[in-house]
Structure formats: structure tokens, C-alpha cells
Amino acid sequence: YSTTVNAGNVNTYPVTGLTNGTPYYFVVVASNQYGDSVTSNEKSATPTATPPPPATISKDAVSQAQADDVALLSFNHTVNAAGSNRALVVSVSLYNYGITRLSPAVNTMTYAGQAMTRAVRQAKDSVSARYSTEIWYILNPSGGTSAIVANFNGITDGITMGSISLTGVKQAAPTNYGS
């Protein structure tokens, strides 16, 4: 052992000045007026760097739109061009009256002409209507004010859409959308 430390009468002792990734080996010797004990069993430790703090996700902007009896809905949303690691998320709630009607769905959605990705779709039928809810997203959308355009699978009785753009979002497609 190349370094010896007289820690004094303590139960713990912090060792500083170590290099991350370098293994260190430690033994302890107890001392009193009668002399030194035998060394303890050797223990090793390799310090690692403290991981960086998690990214801070911040709300950039929100928008919403509502319509009845349409096959397409378009509304503007503004994404802050200065933000980094941006994401735009759009939720859609649809319904058609009458159980014999087509179950409403979004066929395609774009922002600034760029295709968005459907993350999840949930559909439910009641005794008088068919409902569905969908979530769409795009990573790193272009900044500025552009149109969100949703094309539906037919004339839809009622549509409510909400959008939120965020900054500080990990730029990878979600891997678990839930059910």
C-alpha cells in the first residue's frame, strides 16, 4: 500500500482526490497503547463520475381547436425556434353519433408539412355513439408558427384537439405507449 493515513479515533473517514475509473484498495489497522492490530480484509472501490442531472422539460406553447362535421381540421401552433430538444404532442378526441357509423379516426397528421407519428389510439363504443382518442407526436419540429393538419377517415361529428410543444425532451421515439 502506497499511502498511509492516520485517521485518528473515527468510525468513518472520507477519502478525497481519487480519480474516476481507477480502482483503489483499502485495509484498516487499529492502534492503541499496546500496538497495532493485524490488517483488515482488503476492500476495493472504483469511484465513478456523478451522472449529470436529468434534463428539464419545459412547456413551450399550447394551442387547441374544435370542429363539428368535418373530414379535415387545421389550426396553427407556434413552436419556439430557440428551444432545444423540442417535441410537439397533439391529442385528439373524436366522436360519431350512432353505433352504425364509422368509428372515427385520424388517418394522417402533419405539422408544417412534416408527417407526425401516432403514439396511441383508444376506441370505445357506447349505446349511442362511437368515440376515439389519439395521441400524435413529432420530434424536433421546425420552429415558428405552422399548421397542424389532421385528416380523418370520414366526416366526423365532433372533434376536439389540443397541442403542446415542449423543450428539453429526449430525442428518441417512445418505446412504450401504454394501452
Side-chain angles (χ1 to χ4, degrees):
Y1 299 97
S2 61
T3 303
T4 301
V5 175
N6 183 350
N9 185 13
V10 296
N11 292 325
T12 63
Y13 184 82
V15 180
T16 60
L18 303 179
T19 302
N20 290 331
T22 301
Y24 294 89
Y25 302 90
F26 300 90
V27 293
V28 175
V29 174
S31 297
N32 62 22
Q33 69 269 19
Y34 301 109
D36 295 339
S37 70
V38 296
T39 60
S40 66
N41 292 333
E42 182 180 81
K43 294 292 180 182
S44 66
T46 304
T48 59
T50 303
T56 300
I57 297 175
S58 300
K59 178 185 80 167
D60 178 30
V62 295
S63 303
Q64 63 185 22
Q66 190 170 352
D68 296 322
D69 303 317
V70 297
L72 178 143
L73 180 56
S74 177
F75 66 102
N76 285 336
H77 182 86
T78 301
V79 173
N80 181 356
S84 62
N85 295 325
R86 297 183 305 268
L88 173 61
V89 179
V90 179
S91 65
V92 185
S93 179
L94 311 158
Y95 68 86
N96 274 335
Y97 287 115
I99 197 66
T100 60
R101 300 271 316 271
L102 185 66
S103 182
V106 178
N107 284 340
T108 62
M109 189 176 302
T110 60
Y111 174 73
Q114 295 177 299
M116 297 184 70
T117 301
R118 179 187 293 140
V120 67
R121 178 177 188 268
Q122 293 284 323
K124 180 176 172 115
D125 293 340
S126 73
V127 294
S128 61
R130 301 185 112 173
Y131 302 92
S132 68
T133 301
E134 302 184 21
I135 297 176
W136 292 69
Y137 72 93
I138 187 170
L139 298 175
N140 203 24
S142 57
T145 301
S146 294
I148 296 172
V149 180
N151 290 289
F152 308 108
N153 63 344
I155 300 292
T156 302
D157 291 343
I159 303 130
T160 301
M161 295 176 63
S163 59
I164 184 168
S165 48
L166 305 163
T167 60
V169 176
K170 182 179 176 182
Q171 296 293 292
T175 56
N176 181 2
Y177 304 131
S179 55

